[in-house]
Amino acid sequence: MAKAAVGTSNITLVLIFLYLLASCIHFHIGECQYQKPKRNASLFIFGDSFLDVGNNNYINTSTLDQANFWPYGETYFKFPTGRFSDGRLVSDFIAEFAKLPLLPPFLQPGSQHSYYNGANFASAGAGALATTFEGSVISMETQMKNFKKVETWLTNKLGKFKSQEILSNAVYLFSIGTNDYLILFVTNSSIPSSPQYQQMVIGNLTTIVKEIYKIGGRKFGFFNLGDLGCLPGLRMLNSSSKNGCLEKASNMAKLHNVELYNVLLKMEKQLKGFKYSIYDFNSSLTERIDHPSKYGLKEGEIACCGSGRFRGILSCGGKRPVGHEFELCQDPNMHVFWDSYHPTETIYHQMAAEMWNGPSNFKSLFQCL
C-alpha cells in the first residue's frame, strides 16, 4: 500500500511540474505590427457556459443547460439573460475594454441584427467533442456553421474585400473543453479517460481553429481549463471525510492544458500570421479559491446558489430536475462561485482585467494588425 501511495504522489508531482512548465511557455503574442486600426476589431465568441450569453434560451434543451430564470442575472441586469452568472461574463467585460457593445446571443430573434462588431455563438454544456451532451447543446460544429452564416452576411453587405478585412482583423475567443471532462463524472459515461481522449478533445478544437484560419481569421484567444476538481459540483463528489478537490478531475485539466499549449505552439510555427493568447484561467481560479480574502472575497469553496455540500448540486433557481429547493447567499460579491460550476460576476470582472492587461496580453490582439 505504501508503494502505491508513493507512486500516486509521484505521478501528481510530475503532472504539476508539466503544468507549471507549460504555463511558462507562452503568454505572449508573436511579432506583429501595431497601428491604430480604422475601426475597432470585431469579437467572435465560441464555446460553453463560461461565454454563453443566452443562446441556449432558443434551443430545445433541458433546464440543466439554461440559466434564463431567477436568480441568474440578479446583480447587474436585474433579470435573467441566460448567462450562467449573477451578472456579466468575461466576454462582456472584454467587449467593454475593446470599446465594443455587448454582443447578443447569435440565436436571439430580431431583424435588427448586424455583425460588424462580431457575434456570440457559445452554448452552455457544449464541448469540443460532438458527443458531449449531444442533443442538448449547440455543438462546436454547429457553432462553426453559424459563424459561416455571419461570414456570408458580411460578404453580402460589404463585398468580399471589406468583409475579409473585418474577419482578418477580428479576434476569436474560445472557452471549450470543460464539459468534455465533466461529462465523465456527472453522467454514467462509459468513455475511459486517457491521453487519447485528451488528444481527441484538443484535436477537435484545433480543427475548428484551422477552419477559421482558412476563412481569414488570424488572432485567437483561449482560456485554459480551470481546476475542474475544485468546482463545487465535483468537490462534493469526494467522500464526506474529504473536503479537498477531486484529484482525478484536476489531473485531467492539467494534462489538457499541457496538450493545448504544445499544440498552439506548433500551430504558431506552421500557420503564417497565426497569433494567439492564452489566459491562465486555471491558476487564476485556483488562487482565488485558496486565498479569497486577497481578492476582496470571503468564500472560496462554497457556491452562492445551490444545495448540498459546497452547494454543489446545480439546483440554483429551483427549475432543474436535480432539485427544486436551493439556498442563496446574501452577497454574491463575496463568493468565488455563483453556482455549482460557474464564478460570480466579481470573479469574471477580475479575470477580464487580468486577461486584458496581464501576462496573456489579450489587449494586444485588438491592437495587432
Side-chain angles (χ1 to χ4, degrees), residues 13 32 55 70 108 112 118 124 144 148 186 191 216-217 234 290 303 328 358 360 367-368:
L13 287 171
C32 65
N55 278 304
W70 183 86
Q108 180 177 294
Q112 303 305 312
M144 188 64 206
K148 287 179 178 177
V186 301
I191 303 166
L234 291 191
D290 292 344
L328 181 64
S360 57
Q367 300 172 337
C368 191

Side-chain angles (χ1 to χ4, degrees), residues 96 104 133 147 163 170 186 191 203 208 227 258 290 292 296 306 321 327 347 352:
E96 180 186 326
F133 298 118
F147 170 66
S163 66
V186 301
I191 303 166
I208 295 289
D227 194 336
V258 170
D290 292 344
E327 298 171 274
I347 297 300

Side-chain angles (χ1 to χ4, degrees), residues 45-101:
I45 299 165
F46 301 80
D48 53 30
S49 55
F50 292 125
L51 296 177
D52 183 1
V53 293
N55 278 304
N56 279 14
N57 297 350
Y58 308 105
I59 64 172
N60 182 20
T61 187
S62 156
T63 50
L64 284 169
D65 293 309
Q66 291 179 319
N68 52 353
F69 43 84
W70 183 86
Y72 287 94
E74 66 162 18
T75 58
Y76 178 75
F77 298 101
K78 308 301 181 187
F79 63 91
T81 63
R83 289 167 172 82
F84 276 78
S85 174
D86 60 299
R88 291 163 288 182
L89 308 180
V90 166
S91 50
D92 295 318
F93 291 111
I94 293 296
E96 180 186 326
F97 299 157
K99 296 182 169 53
L100 296 170

Side-chain angles (χ1 to χ4, degrees), residues 178-333:
T178 295
N179 293 304
D180 296 301
Y181 302 104
L182 283 186
I183 196 171
L184 305 179
F185 296 92
V186 301
T187 68
N188 295 321
S189 172
S190 57
I191 303 166
S193 123
S194 66
Q196 289 75 25
Y197 185 75
Q198 264 125 2
Q199 286 162 12
M200 281 171 56
V201 172
I202 297 289
N204 276 31
L205 169 58
T206 51
T207 296
I208 295 289
V209 171
K210 286 178 180 177
E211 204 169 340
I212 293 171
Y213 177 87
K214 282 180 186 174
I215 290 170
R218 292 295 181 269
K219 302 186 292 185
F220 297 86
F222 302 90
F223 295 169
N224 70 7
L225 296 194
D227 194 336
L228 300 181
C230 297
L231 301 175
L234 291 191
R235 190 190 285 267
M236 68 173 283
L237 298 181
N238 260 334
S239 67
S240 56
S241 61
K242 294 181 179 178
N243 286 328
C245 304
L246 191 63
E247 191 174 1
K248 187 177 179 183
S250 296
N251 286 343
M252 284 183 184
K254 290 185 178 83
L255 285 170
H256 172 99
N257 291 342
V258 170
E259 186 72 17
L260 177 63
Y261 286 119
N262 290 339
V263 165
L264 289 174
L265 278 172
K266 287 177 187 172
M267 287 175 69
E268 185 184 40
K269 291 172 184 174
Q270 292 167 354
L271 304 176
K272 185 179 178 182
F274 179 83
K275 303 172 185 74
Y276 73 96
S277 167
I278 301 179
Y279 176 61
D280 193 357
F281 188 88
N282 189 297
S283 294
S284 184
L285 186 62
T286 301
E287 175 72 7
R288 285 162 174 79
I289 292 169
D290 292 344
H291 309 287
S293 59
K294 209 171 143 184
Y295 299 90
L297 310 162
K298 289 183 179 176
E299 179 52 60
E301 297 178 358
I302 301 171
C304 173
C305 188
S307 55
R309 289 174 67 220
F310 307 105
R311 293 186 186 139
I313 297 172
L314 190 62
S315 57
C316 184
K319 302 280 188 182
R320 299 192 173 108
V322 290
H324 298 296
E325 293 183 7
F326 66 98
E327 298 171 274
L328 181 64
C329 71
Q330 288 188 335
D331 189 358
N333 293 324

Side-chain angles (χ1 to χ4, degrees), residues 44 115 121 144-157 159-160 163-164 167 214-216:
F44 293 100
Y115 302 106
F121 308 104
M144 188 64 206
K145 286 177 182 174
N146 290 337
F147 170 66
K148 287 179 178 177
K149 290 177 185 176
V150 170
E151 179 203 9
T152 301
W153 185 93
L154 287 168
T155 303
N156 291 339
K157 289 283 184 182
K160 189 69 177 172
S163 66
Q164 274 299 306
L167 295 174
K214 282 180 186 174
I215 290 170

